[in-house]
Amino acid sequence: QTFTNTQATYHPMVVQTASLWIGDGKDIAKVDSASAFTATGNLTTLVAPYIVTSFLKYDIDILVGTTIASTVAECQIMRWDPNLTSATFNETVYENGIYALAWVNGNAVAFAGTSGRMYKYNGQYLVPFRRIPGTWSSTATATIFPNAIGMVNGITIFGVSANAGTPCDQAVWGLGSYDT
């Protein structure tokens, strides 16, 4: 099948409501349980210039992270019930993108911007949570990409890739805790 926007950088995917949802620029394509492909989903509140960068299952909803461009400090987080045509909640975030979403100790967490910031999602808004230790500046940046997230023994792990300079250790980091 062919995407409408043929967005080259981001094609995040998530399975929710017995369908596979795939980001394509401002659109969200769908493959349903009968394998029927729909190139543009029904999230009408997501409009250009926003680009879908990441998804996370959130109860019966999907969290949608976006970007405009790496040079624009504005993006959105949306909470969307895929059975509806508009987001239940959407918030403008003044970072250049929400590049990854993950579960950390039972909380939805957004990895946003290129300065190591993480935000907890409270069901409606993003709240500052943590920052990767480092020396961050306009010439020392890094991104956590959507496919660089995983889980090992209940601990969220993520890979850090430097964009410019060396703002922090480029490694696989862990975030979480467990009782012994």
Side-chain angles (χ1 to χ4, degrees):
Q1 300 294 330
T2 304
F3 290 108
T4 301
N5 297 307
T6 62
Q7 212 288 326
T9 306
Y10 300 102
H11 285 293
M13 293 182 247
V14 68
V15 175
Q16 183 69 297
T17 62
S19 295
L20 172 66
W21 301 92
I22 308 165
D24 176 41
K26 69 171 183 58
D27 292 323
I28 300 174
K30 174 185 175 182
V31 180
D32 68 19
S33 59
S35 299
F37 177 81
T38 306
T40 57
N42 58 353
L43 182 54
T44 59
T45 52
L46 182 58
V47 296
Y50 292 103
I51 298 167
V52 176
T53 57
S54 53
F55 290 134
L56 185 67
K57 286 172 76 167
Y58 193 83
D59 193 28
I60 62 167
D61 298 335
I62 298 172
L63 292 184
V64 180
T66 70
T67 188
I68 294 175
S70 62
T71 55
V72 178
E74 180 184 319
C75 60
Q76 287 190 350
I77 181 83
M78 297 181 165
R79 182 175 175 178
W80 173 49
D81 176 342
N83 296 309
L84 302 176
T85 58
S86 61
T88 307
F89 298 106
N90 67 322
E91 177 190 15
T92 299
V93 181
Y94 296 101
E95 295 280 1
N96 65 1
I98 295 173
Y99 296 110
L101 294 161
W103 286 100
V104 177
N105 289 343
N107 295 292
V109 172
F111 294 80
T114 54
S115 296
R117 291 186 190 92
M118 293 171 250
Y119 297 83
K120 274 187 192 177
Y121 185 70
N122 69 7
Q124 189 172 354
Y125 301 107
L126 290 179
V127 178
F129 174 55
R130 298 273 188 269
R131 188 172 190 184
I132 299 168
T135 306
W136 302 92
S137 71
S138 61
T139 58
T141 63
T143 302
I144 312 303
F145 289 102
N147 292 331
I149 303 279
M151 182 95 43
V152 174
N153 296 326
I155 304 294
T156 302
I157 60 170
F158 58 94
V160 175
S161 300
N163 300 332
T166 309
C168 66
D169 290 338
Q170 295 179 64
V172 176
W173 291 67
L175 183 63
S177 63
Y178 57 88
D179 293 329
T180 55

